[in-house]
Amino acid sequence: MLGVREQKKQQTRKAIIDAAIRLFTEKGFEQTSMSELARAAGVGKGTIYGYFKAKEEIFLAYCEAEIEFAFAALDRKLDEQAPLVDQLVAQTIGQITFVTSNREFGRIFAREMVFPGESSKLASRELDMRYLSKLGEVLGRSQQLGELPEDSDPLLLIAHLHAIYILVLSTFYRDDLTSLEDAEVLVRLLVLQVLYGPTALALATAEERQKWGNLKQQFLEQRELKL
Amino acid sequence: MLGVREQKKQQTRKAIIDAAIRLFTEKGFEQTSMSELARAAGVGKGTIYGYFKAKEEIFLAYCEAEIEFAFAALDRKLDEQAPLVDQLVAQTIGQITFVTSNREFGRIFAREMVFPGESSKLASRELDMRYLSKLGEVLGRSQQLGELPEDSDPLLLIAHLHAIYILVLSTFYRDDLTSLEDAEVLVRLLVLQVLYGPTALALATAEERQKWGNLKQQFLEQRELKL
DNA sequence: GGAGAAACTCGACCGCAGTCGACTTTCTCT
DNA sequence: AGAGAAAGTCGACTGCGGTCGAGTTTCTCC
């Protein structure tokens, strides 16, 4: 049986998160002040800091709910019978779609997840466990089906995939990529190479190679760069 | 001949950056307030915002000087005769060394470069041009020497390398990696795979594979994860 | 039951980044 | 040269995230 104290604490915590979900969704993260949040949650401003170390930490708690939902939706769409590459691309693009669906949220989220501050380190680690284990599952299934080379290292593979995910996310915030369609082409080519080696470009369709050619040119022109 | 106006502007700009270099180096970024900076530069606080959109932008200007220096030092150390993999690893690790040499600076820098805000987008693009063209050079030389497969795409390769760089940087800020030595092992394995396919692990030394095994175990234990 | 300790709550308060409009300097054009 | 426009300067001011210590509630133990 929970004491009065513990009960109230959970209640308060929930009130804060609920208020955060409402306000962040309504007005955005930056536009919601801690005083407002406190008022909406029916507590004093200082109280919030007994539950969260910083505003960013509330944001990550807020994200947990959203991510739970998004991942569940993604799971439903993911076809376990599809070729490995397709599954990995779908998962990656799905996440990118979700994260970038709100530009401001996505940037804060990405920053906290990829380069967390001392205060959000733990929360960020918790959050990406879900992601890691998801990739692990997909790869595990695939390994059993013999789709993966025997001698490849699953964790290194996950590292590559994670690296690709972060990179493509970054290209969005740097305006190097602007459409999800373009992102998918890039992700697919990179994943293909990671799975099957640098010559795996040949496995891509002509259309994909064509699109990549355009992307490439656009990128180089924008930077007045040559290779 | 420059007018009085333009002359003063450049003077003021220099004064601000000089003050920033001094103060940021002395006391750190967060610990330096804009008022202090203004006082040190001998201008009003508002004036600074006529030259820089935000504090972060001053930071990136500050970084430009530091990076110039660091890259030059790296260039001198880089052995153009060494095998491609070694050069790429050296370049990547060199950058990581530099960026993480001050934890706080590195985090802010990484955040602004990888997921720039609207105000620092341009500055960040400018900064990584140097990096991109550096990689381009190394790859170009190597391609001429025939070290690279004919049919691989240089820009895709750069994307992979950049992805690896960001990933490993991220692992530092997430406490998954703590020493540069570990980082080097990870970078080397990932680069090997990117250049020569997933089976390229065989090209690593026994010692490297051993170290990777330890890293792997440590990582999985920390997260109570299995693959 | 009650007293003292421990945990929790609160909003006034702090220093901050960034804004604004009154003021000064420089440019431009006759 | 000088007047009016344009550009640049300034620090008081705003609202922010986060702290703090006084006050309140809950727990603990006799």
Side-chain angles (χ1 to χ4, degrees), chain B residues 65-82 87 90-91 94 134 137-138 141:
Chain B
E66 301 286 319
I67 283 182
E68 196 80 44
F69 182 76
F71 260 68
L74 241 180
D75 272 2
R76 253 174 283 121
K77 271 209 283 186
L78 225 126
D79 175 11
E80 295 190 7
Q81 309 305 316
Q87 284 187 56
Q91 175 74 26
K134 190 82 227 300
E137 275 173 40
V138 176
R141 273 201 303 276

Side-chain angles (χ1 to χ4, degrees), chain A residues 19 23 27 31-42 45 48:
Chain A
L23 290 180
K27 342 182 3 176
Q31 285 68 43
T32 301
S33 78
M34 292 301 274
S35 313
E36 267 181 293
L37 182 54
R39 216 179 313 123
K45 188 153 77 134
I48 298 184

Side-chain angles (χ1 to χ4, degrees), chain A residues 65-78 130 134:
Chain A
E66 301 287 317
I67 283 182
E68 195 79 42
F69 182 76
F71 260 68
L74 242 180
D75 272 2
R76 255 175 280 119
K77 272 210 282 187
L78 227 129
R130 194 181 318 278
K134 190 79 228 298

Side-chain angles (χ1 to χ4, degrees), chain B residues 76-226:
Chain B
R76 253 174 283 121
K77 271 209 283 186
L78 225 126
D79 175 11
E80 295 190 7
Q81 309 305 316
L84 176 59
V85 181
D86 292 350
Q87 284 187 56
L88 293 177
V89 171
Q91 175 74 26
T92 305
I93 289 295
Q95 287 174 198
I96 291 175
T97 307
F98 166 64
V99 174
T100 59
S101 63
N102 180 314
R103 206 154 214 270
E104 187 208 0
F105 281 0
R107 175 162 44 230
I108 301 167
F109 178 73
R111 285 183 174 189
E112 292 297 324
M113 288 295 290
V114 178
F115 307 111
E118 301 301 323
S119 64
S120 44
K121 213 174 270 180
L122 280 177
S124 83
R125 175 162 292 186
E126 190 123 334
L127 261 179
D128 84 338
M129 288 289 299
R130 194 181 318 278
Y131 163 60
L132 279 183
S133 53
K134 190 82 227 300
L135 280 186
E137 275 173 40
V138 176
L139 289 181
R141 273 201 303 276
S142 177
Q143 201 161 30
Q144 284 191 327
L145 292 172
E147 275 187 296
L148 275 178
E150 274 295 319
D151 52 355
S152 76
D153 184 313
L155 190 52
L156 271 184
L157 204 42
I158 289 183
H160 276 300
L161 294 169
H162 193 195
I164 292 172
Y165 165 57
I166 300 174
L167 175 85
V168 175
L169 204 48
S170 169
T171 61
F172 260 94
Y173 283 98
R174 316 203 40 196
D175 291 344
D176 291 327
L177 244 53
T178 48
S179 81
L180 281 167
E181 198 192 340
D182 290 349
E184 182 158 354
V185 172
L186 179 56
V187 169
R188 168 159 259 117
L189 293 185
L190 290 173
V191 170
L192 271 175
Q193 291 196 318
V194 156
L195 285 178
Y196 307 116
T199 58
L201 272 194
L203 299 177
T205 66
E207 192 195 350
E208 278 162 358
R209 280 203 296 269
Q210 158 84 43
K211 279 187 189 167
W212 166 241
N214 293 342
L215 278 181
K216 204 163 137 176
Q217 200 184 341
Q218 191 185 316
F219 178 85
L220 293 178
E221 271 171 14
Q222 206 169 24
R223 316 224 168 191
E224 295 161 19
L225 212 67
K226 273 195 189 172

Side-chain angles (χ1 to χ4, degrees), chain B residues 5 9 43-44 46-47 51:
Chain B
R5 210 194 206 77
K9 262 177 74 173
V43 301
T47 301
Y51 292 83

Side-chain angles (χ1 to χ4, degrees), chain A residues 4-5 8 33-34 45 49 55:
Chain A
V4 178
R5 209 194 207 79
K8 278 197 182 173
S33 78
M34 292 301 274
K45 188 153 77 134
Y49 288 87
K55 199 185 178 189

